[in-house]
Amino acid sequence: MDKTKGCGQDGHLSHQGLKLSTSGVNIMASMEGRDPSCSSLVKDALADHEKPGFKLCSYVERFSETHAGPIPIIKSGLGKDDLFSTFHVRWGIHRLNYTVAPGLYGIGNPGRTSEVLVTANFKLTFDHLRKALPHTSAWILVLDTKGINVWCAAGKGTFSTRELVKRIEDCSLEKIVDHKRVIVPQLGATGVSAVDVKKQSGFRVVYGPIRARDIPAFFKNNRRADQKMRQVSFTLYERFILTPVEIKNALKPACITSLVLFVVSGLGPGGFSFSGAWERGLLSVLALATGIFSGGFVTPVLLPYIPFREFAAKGIITGSVFAILLMVAVSPAINGMAGSGALFLFSLVISSYLAMNFTGTTPFTSPSGVEKEMKRFIPVQVAALAVSTGLWICSAFK
Amino acid sequence: MKELRYLDNVATLVLDEEKCIGCSLCTEVCPHAVFEMKQNRASIVDLNACMECGACVNNCPSGAISVSPGVG
């Protein structure tokens, strides 16, 4: 039965009620309208693998015949499509649908002694891996992590012992390689138990390096990762590349907050004034935007250079700097200390909150630490927000 | 990661050195070099670097390690 489904395609096929005959051809399930990276261009060499209702993915170079049926061999280089969608995904657009079909793939000229690299079915992860293997021949076993990267999926339990054992069986891995070894990325260890995988599948888990780019060196070094390969980093670029999603995720709540700000800004001596709502509303939205820029972009990027361990405190430091700049910029438009104080505090609170929010994105914050930080800083943020609102309304009565 | 450290004295990581069988898997899976092997037994050398990811707990064959973070 496994053979009629095609390795790793069971989910797609059974849902669609399709019955593939005995060919056992392993073709990507069509992701039309979901995965922009799948191109409809099918080269002659691939023509035999066309199936009604399916579309070959642009990253498939050819198919390799094995004892477990044909396996798609993927390209190492990324195409224009891949890079274009990477840009989109970094901004959080279509992020959760950015997947590849789980199952077995190959890269280079994999054979019976080639290593088996396990990975997640988030296409950004998949692209990262194949890009790192331009001169390597290996099998790539993609687990169904619902389009989530290895580490997060391991934490959530989709990159798991169970899923790995199931994929090994579904793909008939024992018919494809002569050894009994799979290389699991180290960060997958949060979800995988090497002992249990061995017990349940017979395959031994070797933990590979954290970063895909270290894989060639890991192979050269007899499948041993050195200390540097085993430790996570959080470099300036790694922090920077995560900020678009931070900003994008802040936008929706920011729009709702802006509406509230316009309403609150309209309150004044004459009840509600539309001109007040507009003029003072714009000023408060500017303070909001300053806070988002400071807490969602500047604080993450400059993280190690800002004093204090608590992210919320870092956000206050950065927030102060930008709030002062804001004050200088808009001071002619604000009358009195109360209004200035209100905007200053508001901008600070937003910056502090978003900086604290970034703890969930970093690779070094412990849940216990985050809990401690939140218990300490959320009351401070709420109090500051209340004072800021009070001052802002008061300032309208002058 | 020497330049980026989070809060000290909060990690809930506990290692029962008596139970350790010396397989060194925890030193392999930890992304923050929290463990080191000393005289064929694991030892916590940098508790404050622990982010409670649970990789060591999940892979320790003798159940010598535990971590109990709250909800975060």
Side-chain angles (χ1 to χ4, degrees):
Chain A
M1 188 180 147
D2 280 339
K3 291 287 83 45
T4 60
K5 285 187 203 165
C7 175
Q9 301 293 321
D10 47 346
H12 290 289
L13 296 185
S14 56
H15 284 311
Q16 292 162 12
L18 284 177
K19 280 180 195 149
L20 276 188
S21 58
T22 52
S23 61
V25 172
N26 193 346
I27 296 185
M28 309 299 101
S30 170
M31 288 191 178
E32 208 162 24
R34 287 179 63 205
D35 190 342
S37 68
C38 289
S39 143
S40 59
L41 284 173
V42 179
K43 291 180 185 140
D44 290 345
L46 294 165
D48 290 348
H49 296 281
E50 280 187 292
K51 283 264 177 260
F54 289 82
K55 195 159 71 172
L56 277 162
C57 291
S58 61
Y59 46 77
V60 175
E61 190 175 68
R62 61 191 171 86
F63 284 81
S64 169
E65 289 301 329
T66 70
H67 291 307
I71 303 291
I73 302 298
I74 57 173
K75 301 167 191 166
S76 169
L78 302 193
K80 249 187 276 171
D81 290 354
D82 300 315
L83 297 172
F84 191 66
S85 1
T86 296
F87 178 79
H88 271 133
V89 167
R90 284 296 186 189
W91 279 98
I93 300 162
H94 304 310
R95 199 179 175 90
L96 293 176
N97 284 329
Y98 200 50
T99 57
V100 293
L104 191 66
Y105 297 78
I107 193 160
N109 282 303
R112 302 199 60 83
T113 55
S114 298
E115 299 295 339
V116 180
L117 297 163
V118 181
T119 191
N121 82 326
F122 181 29
K123 180 145 184 295
L124 212 55
T125 304
F126 182 76
D127 282 355
H128 223 75
L129 179 60
R130 64 195 178 101
K131 197 175 72 183
L133 305 170
H135 310 294
T136 310
S137 292
W139 299 106
I140 295 174
L141 184 61
V142 177
L143 304 192
D144 185 5
T145 61
K146 316 290 174 204
I148 306 291
N149 69 64
V150 171
W151 207 4
C152 292
K156 300 259 183 247
T158 48
F159 192 100
S160 63
T161 300
R162 207 176 126 191
E163 169 66 11
L164 176 55
V165 170
K166 177 179 172 290
R167 288 291 157 199
I168 289 174
E169 283 169 8
D170 286 1
C171 296
S172 307
L173 200 56
E174 77 287 350
K175 289 187 188 167
I176 291 175
V177 289
D178 289 331
H179 59 79
K180 289 272 180 189
R181 185 171 62 234
V182 288
I183 308 216
V184 173
Q186 185 193 330
L187 294 182
T190 296
V192 169
S193 159
V195 180
D196 292 347
V197 172
K198 172 88 183 169
K199 262 187 227 157
Q200 294 170 33
S201 71
F203 277 81
R204 186 165 66 92
V205 168
V206 175
Y207 285 110
I210 287 177
R211 285 163 287 266
R213 65 162 185 265
D214 289 332
I215 292 173
F218 170 80
F219 282 161
K220 251 186 219 156
N221 199 20
N222 284 324
R223 297 185 298 273
R224 295 185 80 90
D226 61 30
Q227 187 74 329
K228 220 179 150 199
M229 295 181 196
R230 291 250 175 262
Q231 286 193 46
V232 290
S233 56
F234 204 35
T235 61
L236 185 80
Y237 177 74
E238 284 167 332
R239 298 192 301 270
F240 166 77
I241 200 69
L242 296 173
T243 55
V245 169
E246 294 295 311
I247 300 285
K248 191 247 176 186
N249 288 346
L251 285 185
K252 199 178 164 190
C255 287
I256 298 164
T257 310
S258 298
L259 286 177
V260 177
L261 288 176
F262 279 115
V263 172
V264 172
S265 299
L267 300 175
F272 187 83
S273 117
F274 280 101
S275 67
W278 178 244
E279 285 162 20
R280 287 161 45 79
L282 277 184
L283 282 173
S284 56
V285 170
L286 201 58
L288 174 68
T290 307
I292 293 174
F293 178 70
S294 161
F297 179 74
V298 180
T299 311
V301 169
L302 299 182
L303 204 62
Y305 311 111
I306 307 168
F308 296 110
R309 296 271 177 97
E310 290 94 344
F311 283 45
K314 287 175 187 282
I316 291 175
I317 301 283
T318 331
S320 310
V321 174
F322 283 93
I324 288 168
L325 292 177
L326 175 75
M327 291 299 106
V328 172
V330 301
S331 62
I334 311 174
N335 50 342
M337 286 301 288
S340 305
L343 292 188
F344 186 88
L345 266 184
F346 181 57
S347 185
L348 221 65
V349 168
I350 300 298
S351 176
S352 175
Y353 181 79
L354 287 180
M356 193 173 74
N357 202 40
F358 193 64
T359 55
T361 311
T362 68
F364 68 101
T365 50
S366 61
S368 296
V370 174
E371 197 179 326
K372 187 179 173 189
E373 168 167 352
M374 285 174 72
K375 273 186 186 152
R376 188 183 291 175
F377 280 92
I378 284 183
V380 176
Q381 290 161 354
V382 170
L385 187 64
V387 171
S388 161
T389 312
L391 284 174
W392 191 236
I393 293 171
C394 285
S395 70
F397 286 86
K398 281 195 177 167
Chain B
M1 288 298 284
K2 290 284 170 262
E3 79 281 16
L4 275 169
R5 306 279 298 189
Y6 197 43
L7 310 188
D8 287 341
N9 309 319
V10 289
T12 55
L13 177 73
V14 180
L15 165 69
D16 183 346
E17 290 183 24
E18 294 298 304
K19 282 193 190 168
C20 176
I21 57 166
C23 73
S24 80
L25 209 48
C26 53
T27 63
E28 251 181 63
V29 297
C30 177
H32 289 288
V34 168
F35 301 94
E36 255 176 36
M37 296 304 288
K38 285 182 180 170
Q39 283 131 27
N40 291 324
R41 277 198 184 169
S43 158
I44 296 178
V45 291
D46 193 359
L47 178 69
N48 289 329
C50 174
M51 59 172 291
E52 302 174 321
C53 72
C56 52
V57 180
N58 213 14
N59 281 277
C60 178
S62 61
I65 313 174
S66 75
V67 65
S68 48
V71 285

